[in-house]
Amino acid sequence: MSNQPIGVFDSGLGGLSVLLEIERQLPAEDLVYVADSAHAPYGAKTADYMAERCIKISDFLLSQRVKVIVVACNTATAYAAEVLRQHLTIPIIGLEPAVKPAVKLTQTGKIGVLATRQTANSARLQRLIDTYAQNTQVVVQACPGLVEHVEAGDFNSAELKQLLSEYLKPLQEQGVDTLVLGCTHYPFLRQTLMELIQGQMTIVETSQAVTRQVVNILTQHQLLQTNPLAQRRVQFYSSLQGELLEKSAKSAALLWQRELELLSLPAEFR
Ligand code: DGL
């Protein structure tokens, strides 16, 4: 099984921020990525809708013989990771906002979390805060609209900056010094965020930690690719079709920082 690929999915292209890190830390592994862009943003969907989509995508990934699945989406992890674990026998690795590391880093005792509306309202985030941030003030800011900008390959338009400024304002007013990016789309906005926060906050995100977790799980299950001659293969799929798929492929190439081929999922998984 160790020769089989790692499956990674997100509601859209944001999970590429995680895939980039997995690619860097695990250079011999084959990877299959699914962007469920036809159903993004998950942050505006119900838990049942997300669970149904996550099961469909994981069934597709299983048809590609993946050995583990990384849910590269905070929102899907918060609402569907448990359902997936009941549905599948292979390891499922989810991710959640980096509240714990942020609590360690803050000097002012005030951290901010930017997330989708669904993640911001999730019991899972509340549990994280109750567990790790008892003596820290946590300002949680829901950020509807940001995912759509990243999906469209927009990282720094005036309209996006305006939206980000609005979302950062309450955090700045509260004196937050540590900023958790609680959505895998947001690392692609890092440059623009840095411009706006002007060195007043440290940005924390999750892709390195989740990749270490992937390495741990693969090691534990003896699933690490051991063939030193393996030629890595990375495949990309999307639930979009036609012109929208072509457009999305352009955004994906920007995020992936090189050319790629984005294929449409077979109809039964779209
Ligand atoms: N990248 C997803 C996350 O980490 C975005 C979810 C969405 O589509 O709203 O939460």
Side-chain angles (χ1 to χ4, degrees):
M1 247 186 119
S2 59
N3 290 334
Q4 294 172 214
I6 298 173
V8 181
F9 78 91
D10 177 34
S11 62
L13 301 174
L16 290 174
S17 61
V18 177
L19 196 73
L20 280 165
E21 188 57 29
I22 294 177
E23 189 209 26
R24 195 180 70 78
Q25 285 191 40
L26 290 165
E29 300 288 340
D30 285 345
L31 307 170
V32 182
Y33 183 84
V34 178
D36 197 16
S37 301
H39 301 269
Y42 281 2
K45 302 289 191 303
T46 63
D48 284 351
Y49 189 99
M50 280 187 256
E52 198 181 305
R53 285 308 303 160
C54 290
I55 286 174
K56 274 237 162 87
I57 292 166
S58 55
D59 285 346
F60 169 73
L61 288 170
L62 283 186
S63 77
Q64 302 300 300
R65 302 181 61 246
V66 299
K67 55 188 174 186
V68 292
I69 292 181
V70 181
V71 184
C73 177
N74 295 266
T75 315
T77 301
Y79 288 90
E82 287 318 311
V83 177
L84 278 185
R85 289 199 174 102
Q86 283 161 21
H87 180 68
L88 302 170
T89 53
I90 59 169
I92 305 292
I93 299 153
L95 59 81
E96 51 196 10
V99 170
K100 190 179 170 190
V103 167
K104 287 202 183 125
L105 274 175
T106 179
Q107 302 283 319
T108 59
K110 292 171 185 175
I111 69 170
V113 179
L114 302 184
T116 66
R117 209 191 293 270
Q118 281 286 32
T119 300
N121 292 332
S122 67
R124 195 169 174 124
L125 177 59
Q126 194 51 52
R127 248 197 330 272
L128 267 182
I129 293 172
D130 293 345
T131 310
Y132 298 112
Q134 275 163 357
N135 302 313
T136 304
Q137 187 187 335
V138 185
V139 185
V140 179
Q141 177 65 49
C143 303
L146 295 186
V147 164
E148 289 88 334
H149 280 276
V150 176
E151 289 288 306
D154 169 21
F155 316 122
N156 57 10
S157 67
E159 195 192 324
L160 170 65
K161 282 184 185 163
Q162 176 62 30
L163 203 54
L164 279 175
S165 303
E166 274 168 39
Y167 293 149
L168 287 169
K169 201 160 168 227
L171 281 62
Q172 287 162 325
E173 283 169 358
Q174 297 286 324
V176 160
D177 70 346
T178 309
L179 180 63
V180 176
L181 304 187
C183 168
T184 53
H185 283 74
Y186 303 168
F188 293 113
L189 304 176
R190 179 182 272 268
Q191 273 312 108
T192 308
L193 279 166
M194 301 239 285
E195 264 173 49
L196 295 170
I197 59 183
Q198 296 187 340
Q200 279 164 3
M201 296 179 203
T202 306
I203 296 178
V204 190
E205 44 123 342
T206 332
S207 38
Q208 290 186 2
V210 76
T211 304
R212 282 196 296 276
Q213 177 69 358
V214 174
V215 174
N216 288 341
I217 298 281
L218 290 177
T219 310
Q220 265 171 36
H221 290 79
Q222 298 184 323
L223 287 174
L224 274 174
Q225 166 66 276
T226 47
N227 176 3
L229 299 176
Q231 286 280 340
R232 95 108 47 90
R233 185 159 177 236
V234 189
Q235 290 167 280
F236 301 88
Y237 291 89
S238 167
S239 48
L240 293 170
Q241 302 175 72
E243 253 177 57
L244 290 175
L245 178 71
E246 277 167 39
K247 252 191 168 166
S248 188
K250 292 204 176 99
S251 301
L254 281 178
L255 302 175
W256 187 242
Q257 299 152 14
R258 72 209 98 141
E259 284 307 308
L260 57 80
E261 189 183 15
L262 186 61
L263 301 173
S264 194
L265 283 173
E268 66 265 38
F269 302 109
R270 287 201 296 262

